[in-house]
Structure formats: structure tokens, C-alpha cells
């Protein structure tokens, strides 16, 4: 019996040492992943706020710019894509498309002084601008959390713990390729 106590004590000692090493590391991954998820939910909240503001903005503008149907259709399509997007990459792409469509609406607004002077339109534009700022902050916060988490996943010994417990790298909320260029708007020569 005494011969078995030595190997059992060694095995128990190894298990205790592994637990001392793995438990804090695992908990750190859980906390970090939760931080990423929380930051992502803030992006989703602000994107939803943006999606909710747009119908009122479009309806206000429609009263003044009835013949700008293509602009309104593009906004509606982009809004639908954003509402249906589920991954950070899809949401970033849809968000960039909606931003382009909204920028075309702003160009339309420039052609209608009465619209620019409309109190409801300017209030909605102010709310939308505030929402755009909150989206930018939320994206930055999310990407910061993702960077921290991804570093944990890729560094040793975290890489071992991550692979054992299924913690995978997270996607950044990136701008779509080409989004750094302003969209071109051409209203033709209707003069």
C-alpha cells in the first residue's frame, strides 16, 4: 500500500499544479471573451438606434425631394442589410453601405433649402450625428477588447489553454475595402 502512495501523491500533485495554472488562465479567457461580447453588444445597440432613426429622416426628406426615389431606395436597402447582418464583418459592410447612402441623402438635402431649414429634419440629423459618434466609440472599444483577447489566444501559454478549451480568435469590426473613399453622387444635368 505504501508503494502506491508515492505515485498517487505525485499524480495528485501534478493535478493540483495544473489546476493552479489552468483555472486562473481559463477564468481570464472567460472574462476577456465576455468583455468582447459586451463591447459588441454596444455596437449592435448603436447600429439599431441608427436603423431606427433613418425612417423618420427619410420620411421627412421625402416630403421635399419626391423625385429623389433612388436615394431613398438605396437607404432602405442598406438599412435592411444592416438590420439583417449578424457577424461583425457583415455589419461593418452593411454599415459602410448605409453610410454611403446617407451621405447621398445629405447631398440631396443641399439641393433643397426648405429641407435643410426643416426643424424635424435638422433634429433628426443631429441625433444621427450623435449616433454616428457613439458607433465610432463603440467600434473602437470593441476592437480594443478584441485585440486584447486575440493576444491572449495567440500568446504562450494562453495558446495552449485556448486550444484546449475552444477559445478562438475574434473578428475585428473593420471598414469595408474602399470605404475610405467618398461615394460619388451624380444628379445628371437636369438644369
Amino acid at each position: 500500500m505504501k508503494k502506491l502512495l508515492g505515485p498517487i501523491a505525485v499524480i495528485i500533485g501534478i493535478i493540483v499544479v495544473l489546476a493552479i495554472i489552468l483555472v486562473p488562465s481559463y477564468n481570464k479567457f472567460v472574462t476577456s471573451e465576455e468583455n468582447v461580447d459586451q463591447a459588441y453588444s454596444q455596437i449592435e445597440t448603436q447600429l439599431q438606434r441608427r436603423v431606427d432613426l433613418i425612417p423618420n429622416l427619410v420620411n421627412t426628406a421625402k416630403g421635399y425631394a419626391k423625385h429623389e426615389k433612388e436615394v431613398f431606395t438605396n437607404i432602405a436597402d442598406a438599412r435592411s442589410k444592416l438590420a439583417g447582418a449578424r457577424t461583425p464583418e457583415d455589419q461593418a459592410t452593411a454599415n459602410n453601405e448605409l453610410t454611403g447612402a446617407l451621405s447621398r441623402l445629405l447631398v440631396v438635402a443641399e439641393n433643397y433649402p426648405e429641407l435643410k431649414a426643416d426643424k424635424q429634419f435638422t433634429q433628426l440629423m443631429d441625433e444621427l450625428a450623435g449616433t454616428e459618434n457613439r458607433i465610432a466609440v463603440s467600434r473602437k472599444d470593441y476592437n480594443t477588447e478584441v485585440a486584447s483577447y486575440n493576444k491572449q489566444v495567440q500568446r504562450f501559454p494562453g495558446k495552449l489553454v485556448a486550444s484546449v478549451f475552444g477559445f478562438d480568435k475574434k473578428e475585428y469590426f473593420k471598414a469595408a475595402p474602399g470605404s475610405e473613399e467618398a461615394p460619388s453622387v451624380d444628379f445628371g444635368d437636369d438644369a
Side-chain angles (χ1 to χ4, degrees), residues 24-127:
S25 188
Y26 176 83
N27 288 340
K28 187 174 179 182
F29 273 107
V30 170
T31 300
S32 187
E33 186 173 48
E34 188 60 33
N35 289 344
V36 169
D37 292 343
Q38 181 183 16
Y40 184 65
S41 73
Q42 290 301 314
I43 291 174
E44 289 182 315
T45 299
Q46 296 309 322
L47 291 176
Q48 185 60 51
R49 175 175 163 71
R50 183 184 198 205
V51 165
D52 292 344
L53 283 171
I54 290 171
N56 294 330
L57 183 70
V58 168
N59 287 335
T60 302
K62 276 183 180 178
Y64 292 95
K66 290 182 171 100
H67 65 280
E68 305 289 355
K69 186 175 181 176
E70 183 181 349
V71 172
F72 301 125
T73 302
N74 290 342
I75 290 172
D77 291 345
R79 182 178 175 265
S80 295
K81 286 179 186 175
L82 181 57
R86 294 292 163 238
T87 67
E89 185 177 359
D90 290 345
Q91 285 181 324
T93 300
N95 181 54
N96 290 329
E97 188 174 324
L98 184 56
T99 298
L102 287 173
S103 69
R104 288 186 285 282
L105 176 63
L106 296 178
V107 171
V108 167
E110 290 296 320
N111 294 329
Y112 297 91
E114 313 86 37
L115 176 60
K116 288 188 340 185
D118 184 273
K119 185 176 180 179
Q120 183 179 4
F121 183 79
T122 55
Q123 180 183 359
L124 288 167
M125 288 304 299
D126 289 344
E127 286 184 46

Side-chain angles (χ1 to χ4, degrees), residues 132-146:
E132 297 294 337
N133 290 335
R134 286 191 286 275
I135 289 170
V137 169
S138 295
R139 285 174 63 169
K140 180 187 122 348
D141 292 346
Y142 171 77
N143 285 338
T144 298
E145 292 295 338
V146 167

Side-chain angles (χ1 to χ4, degrees), residues 174-187:
K174 298 179 189 173
S179 64
E180 67 278 355
E181 298 175 24
S184 64
V185 179
D186 181 16
F187 292 108

